[in-house]
Amino acid sequence: MASAMRPTLPALLATEASMTHPFPADPIAAVTHPNPYPYYAQLRNGAPLIRDETLKLWVAARADTVRAILDDARLTVRPVGEPVPRTIAGGPAGEIYARLARMTEGDTHRVARQALVKGLGGVDIVKVRESSSREAAAVMARYETCDAALLDTLAFAIPVRIVAELAGLPPNDALAATVRQFVACLSPLSPPEALDNAHTAATALQAKLHALTRAEASTSPLIERIVSGGLEASEELPNALVSNLLGLFSQTFEATAGLIGNGIVTLATHPELIARLQASPADIDAFVREVARFDPAVHNTRRFARELICMDGATLQPGDAVLVVLAAASRDEASFHAPERFMLDRPEHALPGFGAGRHACPGEAIARTIASGVLAALVTGGFDFADPALRWSYQPSSNGRIPRFNFIGSHAS
Ligand code: HEM
């Protein structure tokens, strides 16, 4: 139980900034809200750590508090006593989850992270950019109309295909669908049948990756670097190497689709940027960087107190959960000048949407590069971002802001 003297959520509804979109009910509903940013501003103006008694969470929204929480070793990525969610423990997806760098702390995390940072850090970004543009252009050429299926393939299938290619897997059109099934195990919103499918997908992906890592000939420079970085291949099933390779697919899948999708939304809502990018495609990297700040793909992450923690006037009891609102930190004026403005020429600054501290995203450069390649293909390929038939809504999620598109009227949806 947490302290009785907790500050409460500000009276948000009383001061709704927009009549078009009433404020989200809470910071989880904010993730898929059409415009959660006025609400996030109110969270930042409240106490550094705000107690939400309904969600049974502490909420951190200011950039300095977000950073302090992510840097604090007393706050861990999983609750002590439940390293794997009960809903998947004991099955193949749970076995993988238990070994992921993203979901572990201590030595298991340190060894896996070091290997992944070495592996991903050595990736040739220029080649990633070339292959993502090429793949995106090829997908666009295959589709006769710009419909929802095209955007879905560009956003979801291409990033995972590029990462699979880096890992040495042969091109496989079914991979994205299998990864989509697997990532259901990471979401608390998934119903039991989706979790069953996640176990099946985990088994299929494990088999593929085991075959790859056992192959006689060296499979890929990425795997070589990960193995020499500390994650040895092993016969044991599942092992750390295979689990963390699979983790690269799941970390890539929805988040990079969110970045690409939020880029499309930004161009649809800021038509002045379309002409600028068409005239100067080199600005696409800066555009993607600013999208990742302005409307990030990952809105929040969680930490759990493993001991009593007194911080910023709040007392966290062991086991208390903290919702770390990365998307609110992304618009904190303490870190960013004129944070509510989309600025292509913004000076470089660490992006809260990729996390910070010991779990910070080691795939940021790859994700941004893939998104640049895909969006460049759309911009130069004549995709009509201003099409009045283009609509989107956000995929149900408690942390990822991932638009799904459709076209009303003349297009297929
Ligand atoms: C736009 C796309 C992406 C976003 C927004 C994103 C965001 C994040 C965030 C916020 C974290 C930290 C979570 C936390 O501390 O609780 C994280 C961790 C991680 N990301 Fe990404 N990510 C993206 C793409 C990728 C890609 C493409 C890869 C690999 C190819 C990747 C690999 C990882 C890994 C392995 C971790 C765990 C690191 C650790 O726990 O030490 N991510 N990512």
Side-chain angles (χ1 to χ4, degrees):
M1 230 187 74
S3 154
M5 291 302 292
R6 290 164 168 171
T8 52
L9 275 175
L12 300 172
L13 290 171
T15 52
E16 279 172 13
S18 151
M19 294 310 290
T20 328
H21 301 300
F23 267 27
D26 59 47
I28 303 291
V31 174
T32 52
H33 186 273
N35 179 14
Y37 297 103
Y39 171 81
Y40 286 153
Q42 289 231 15
L43 288 181
R44 279 194 307 273
N45 289 335
L49 278 164
I50 302 170
R51 182 66 186 174
D52 186 318
E53 285 298 354
T54 311
L55 295 175
K56 304 225 174 310
L57 288 167
W58 292 94
V59 179
R62 296 186 192 175
D64 56 350
T65 316
V66 160
R67 183 69 218 220
I69 301 243
L70 295 179
D71 278 342
D72 196 323
R74 297 170 301 170
L75 289 146
T76 54
V77 286
R78 290 291 308 158
V80 177
E82 197 190 342
V84 175
R86 274 185 264 284
T87 48
I88 54 165
E95 287 168 359
I96 289 166
Y97 192 105
R99 293 172 191 262
L100 293 177
R102 167 71 184 82
M103 302 301 175
T104 50
E105 297 285 1
D107 281 349
T108 310
H109 170 248
R110 194 181 44 74
V111 171
R113 178 176 176 85
Q114 175 184 295
L116 292 174
V117 166
K118 184 171 173 208
L120 295 171
V123 165
D124 184 338
I125 287 296
V126 175
K127 279 198 183 144
V128 169
R129 173 61 192 259
E130 281 165 9
S131 34
S132 45
S133 296
R134 193 182 52 243
E135 297 271 359
V139 167
M140 287 174 70
R142 278 211 307 272
Y143 281 79
E144 281 176 14
T145 53
C146 287
D147 62 12
L150 166 67
L151 296 183
D152 192 84
T153 305
L154 290 174
F156 287 94
I158 288 189
V160 105
R161 194 182 175 98
I162 302 287
V163 173
E165 191 183 317
L166 290 173
L169 279 178
N172 173 355
D173 288 340
L175 182 66
T178 316
V179 174
R180 196 189 291 267
Q181 283 182 326
F182 172 73
V183 297
C185 81
L186 305 173
S187 169
L189 305 181
S190 295
E193 58 277 18
L195 296 177
D196 286 346
N197 290 338
H199 288 302
T200 309
T203 307
L205 290 166
Q206 262 180 340
K208 247 188 228 308
L209 291 168
H210 267 286
L212 184 71
T213 56
R214 276 200 300 259
E216 278 298 307
S218 159
T219 45
S220 81
L222 171 65
I223 292 186
E224 273 176 21
R225 286 190 302 272
I226 293 176
V227 167
S228 68
L231 283 185
E232 302 297 333
S234 123
E235 288 299 309
E236 181 207 343
L237 242 173
N239 63 49
L241 173 62
V242 164
S243 297
N244 279 288
L245 284 174
L246 211 166
L248 294 185
F249 297 163
S250 57
Q251 292 295 135
T252 299
F253 185 64
E254 291 192 330
T256 313
L259 180 57
I260 293 169
N262 294 333
I264 294 171
V265 168
T266 304
L267 289 173
T269 50
H270 295 69
E272 72 285 0
L273 289 170
I274 303 170
R276 163 117 184 232
L277 294 183
Q278 279 166 343
S280 174
D283 286 339
I284 284 182
D285 293 351
F287 169 76
V288 167
R289 196 185 154 72
E290 179 67 343
V291 170
R293 180 200 71 81
F294 187 76
D295 196 17
V298 175
H299 268 215
N300 65 62
T301 185
R302 294 179 196 220
R303 291 294 185 268
F304 301 86
R306 67 170 178 209
E307 59 192 66
L308 185 83
I309 300 173
C310 295
M311 186 181 227
D312 284 330
T315 305
L316 280 63
Q317 301 293 324
D320 273 4
V322 183
L323 191 79
V324 186
V325 189
L326 306 170
S330 291
R331 297 234 189 158
D332 191 331
E333 62 187 3
S335 298
F336 299 99
H337 171 65
E340 303 300 334
R341 271 178 52 206
F342 189 96
M343 282 165 53
L344 271 187
D345 49 358
R346 190 174 283 286
E348 294 244 336
H349 185 288
L351 294 167
F354 286 97
R358 67 191 181 281
H359 285 280
C361 181
E364 175 179 342
I366 294 174
R368 282 172 38 202
T369 304
I370 294 172
S372 291
V374 170
L375 289 165
L378 281 168
V379 167
T380 56
F383 178 76
D384 183 6
F385 295 96
D387 184 343
L390 180 62
R391 296 280 188 284
W392 59 90
S393 59
Y394 294 94
Q395 179 173 301
S397 173
S398 56
N399 70 331
R401 187 167 179 81
I402 307 153
R404 302 301 290 269
F405 297 94
N406 63 65
F407 292 84
I408 54 158
S410 56
H411 293 269
S413 66

